[in-house]
């Protein structure tokens, strides 16, 4: 596709927040990317415009039936001022897999990559460069046809917005406590669990809220059929070190295929650490804890990269992992991944894309 991206720059740049104020997803840069779809015409009118509200018809399908998908990725500023993205093509491929599942027309990955680079360059001054900070990138599609019939929309917007984000860990990498969910389920194979779509998150909010009230930061989901196999954590995939192996739930159709998950598997194999993708039940995990072979657990995702798990609560029993401290594997993988992303550690896999 040789669509040319039109650029309209803002005449009123916003004041940039102090790095200490950033947090996650609270501030947005001066520009955004937008493109429209109409049946018959396909995707058209790619443009970079000043960040702004968009008019929407109250009947737009996205408000009623949730036909929408999103991605989450990051750009990093290196200490010497270069701007790097981490495996962006993996995210664009996954975006199209999510599109297919939600009956949304595919996007041209080459065009989106070009849009990403141009948009990030225009708002480059917004990228913080302190250790742990980055520019969070949120591409997404919404269905906008203003009719209430349940059918795939004939009109869509694709947009990319950018948000400078602070360090996930204020004082170095820190373990979280996780509540193993036994009442609610997130997804089943054949559903949309392996697509990055808003409904999965809407379905998880109630469990998340109840876990927060009990003092846990996220829930660990079990499978929706047997209610016993481990799936993933909130917005992260999950890994366990049991004996001399690292185990992560196999992609079974209801788990999200995380880019960080795939990267961690490859890094561990590169270091000759044995990794196994398999079904693992909560009973097996608790048994490993009882006999003392469950040494470490951690979540993986773009936001935190690695999130060590210090405690799991399973039906009231508290399992303390590695004494509630960050384990050696989580720590080593975190340093390696964040180093590669920030351009301070050599990238042996060709994962880095220069903006
Ligand atoms: C985005 C997401 C992840 C993590 O994926 P990454 O590509 O590593 O950021 C894991 N689980 C769910 C449900 C997600 O939405």
């Amino acid at each position: 596709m040789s669509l040319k991206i039109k650029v309209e720059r803002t005449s009123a740049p916003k004041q940039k927040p102090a790095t200490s104020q950033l947090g996650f997803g609270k501030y947005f840069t001066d520009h955004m990317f937008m493109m429209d779809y109409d049946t018959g015409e396909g995707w058209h009118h790619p443009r970079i415009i000043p960040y702004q509200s968009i008019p929407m018809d109250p009947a737009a399908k996205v408000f009623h039936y949730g036909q929408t998908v999103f991605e989450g990725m990051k750009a990093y500023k290196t200490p010497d001022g270069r701007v790097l993205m981490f495996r962006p093509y993996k995210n664009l491929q996954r975006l199209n897999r999510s599109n297919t599942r939600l009956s949304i027309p595919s996007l041209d990955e080459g065009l989106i990559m070009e849009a990403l680079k141009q948009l990030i360059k225009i708002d480059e001054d917004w990228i913080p460069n302190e250790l742990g900070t980055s520019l969070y990138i949120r591409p997404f599609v919404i269905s906008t046809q203003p009719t209430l019939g349940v059918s795939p929309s004939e009109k869509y917007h694709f947009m990319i917005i950018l948000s400078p984000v602070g360090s996930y860990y204020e004082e170095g990498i820190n373990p979280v406590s996780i509540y193993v969910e036994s009442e609610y389920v997130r997804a089943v194979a054949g559903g949309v669990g392996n697509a990055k779509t808003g409904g999965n998150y809407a379905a998880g909010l109630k469990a998340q809220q109840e876990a927060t009230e009990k003092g846990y930061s996220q829930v660990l989901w079990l499978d929706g059929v047997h209610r016993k196999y481990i799936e993933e954590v909130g917005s992260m995939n999950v890994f366990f070190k049991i004996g001399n192996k690292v185990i992560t739930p196999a992609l079974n159709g209801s788990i999200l295929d995380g880019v960080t998950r795939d990267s961690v598997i490859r890094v561990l194999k590169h270091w000759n650490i044995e990794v196994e993708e398999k079904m693992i039940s909560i009973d097996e995990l608790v048994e490993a804890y009882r006999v003392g072979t469950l040494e470490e657990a951690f979540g993986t995702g773009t936001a935190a990269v690695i999130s060590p798990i210090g405690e799991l609560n399973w039906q009231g029993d508290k399992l303390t992992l590695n004494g509630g401290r960050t384990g050696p594997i989580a720590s080593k993988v975190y340093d390696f991944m964040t180093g590669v992303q920030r351009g301070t550690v050599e990238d042996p896999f060709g994962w880095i894309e220069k903006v």
Side-chain angles (χ1 to χ4, degrees):
M1 205 190 285
S2 56
L3 287 173
K4 183 146 173 30
I5 300 169
K6 270 211 176 131
V7 179
E8 179 199 336
R9 285 184 180 255
T10 183
S11 54
K14 294 180 273 197
Q15 191 169 357
K16 297 182 182 64
T19 304
S20 59
Q21 295 298 106
L22 288 177
F24 182 80
K26 295 194 292 177
Y27 299 95
F28 298 93
T29 65
D30 283 323
H31 298 86
M32 65 191 208
F33 175 81
M34 195 160 175
M35 182 160 70
D36 309 322
Y37 180 94
D38 290 270
T39 298
E41 207 176 343
W43 287 108
H44 62 92
H45 195 19
R47 57 203 184 273
I48 290 170
I49 53 179
Y51 188 93
Q52 59 193 267
S53 301
I54 53 167
M56 293 279 286
D57 192 292
K61 283 186 192 286
V62 65
F63 294 138
H64 308 276
Y65 310 123
Q67 194 194 6
T68 176
V69 299
F70 69 96
E71 267 303 323
M73 54 215 282
K74 281 177 169 178
Y76 306 82
K77 198 167 261 179
T78 67
D80 59 356
R82 290 170 299 144
V83 177
L84 308 178
M85 276 191 282
F86 183 74
R87 309 189 77 184
Y89 292 101
K90 290 282 279 184
N91 292 86
L92 299 185
Q93 287 159 4
R94 185 171 68 192
L95 177 62
N96 269 335
R97 289 202 301 276
S98 299
N99 280 337
T100 300
R101 181 64 186 84
L102 274 287
S103 294
I104 293 172
S106 288
L107 288 148
D108 181 308
E109 289 162 26
L111 175 69
I112 306 307
M113 194 64 222
E114 181 57 32
L116 275 171
K117 287 187 178 177
Q118 284 194 31
L119 180 64
I120 292 167
K121 268 200 193 113
I122 286 176
D123 282 336
E124 184 175 338
D125 289 349
W126 281 84
I127 311 177
N129 66 357
E130 286 85 344
L131 192 65
T133 65
S134 59
L135 184 72
Y136 186 78
I137 303 165
R138 169 56 58 87
F140 64 107
V141 182
I142 53 172
S143 51
T144 56
Q145 187 188 348
T147 59
L148 294 182
V150 180
S151 58
S153 181
E154 296 185 352
K155 293 163 92 57
Y156 301 88
H157 287 318
F158 169 73
M159 289 186 267
I160 306 171
I161 54 176
L162 307 175
S163 175
V165 297
S167 180
Y168 197 88
Y169 299 104
E170 304 277 292
E171 302 134 14
I173 180 169
N174 254 318
V176 292
S177 299
I178 300 283
Y179 188 81
V180 185
E181 181 56 55
S182 50
E183 183 182 353
Y184 304 107
V185 298
R186 171 187 173 272
V188 290
V192 293
N194 57 356
K196 225 168 160 77
T197 183
N200 287 329
Y201 281 84
L205 291 176
K206 184 91 174 89
Q208 167 74 41
Q209 192 179 19
E210 290 179 16
T212 306
E213 280 160 15
K214 294 183 189 107
Y216 291 84
S217 67
Q218 294 205 37
V219 301
L220 175 64
W221 296 107
L222 301 182
D223 80 281
V225 177
H226 308 94
R227 305 289 191 102
K228 68 185 234 195
Y229 295 102
I230 290 166
E231 299 241 304
E232 57 181 311
V233 172
S235 54
M236 294 190 289
N237 295 111
V238 68
F239 288 73
F240 304 97
K241 176 156 189 280
I242 301 179
N244 54 10
K245 259 189 216 165
V246 176
I247 293 167
T248 191
L251 299 176
N252 60 355
S254 62
I255 298 175
L256 196 97
D257 180 1
V259 176
T260 320
R261 174 188 183 276
D262 180 75
S263 307
V264 168
I265 291 172
R266 291 186 51 191
V267 168
L268 293 175
K269 287 184 174 166
H270 182 70
W271 290 338
N272 292 319
I273 294 171
E274 198 178 341
V275 190
E276 204 176 341
E277 297 174 63
K278 64 166 210 162
M279 280 169 84
I280 172 166
S281 69
I282 185 69
D283 297 336
E284 258 182 278
L285 197 70
V286 170
E287 182 55 23
Y289 177 77
R290 295 251 150 79
V291 301
T293 52
L294 175 56
E295 294 171 13
E296 261 190 71
F298 56 90
T300 65
T302 296
V305 188
I306 302 293
S307 191
I309 299 171
E311 181 192 313
L312 284 171
N313 183 314
W314 169 233
Q315 298 184 324
D317 285 343
K318 295 180 176 179
L319 283 55
T320 303
L321 305 176
N322 194 48
R325 293 179 310 272
T326 301
I329 292 197
S331 172
K332 191 174 168 199
V333 176
Y334 179 79
D335 289 344
F336 178 83
M337 295 272 292
T338 52
V340 168
Q341 290 166 339
R342 238 175 138 247
T344 56
V345 166
E346 200 203 301
D347 164 22
F349 304 100
W351 284 343
I352 291 304
E353 177 82 13
K354 234 189 137 232
V355 173

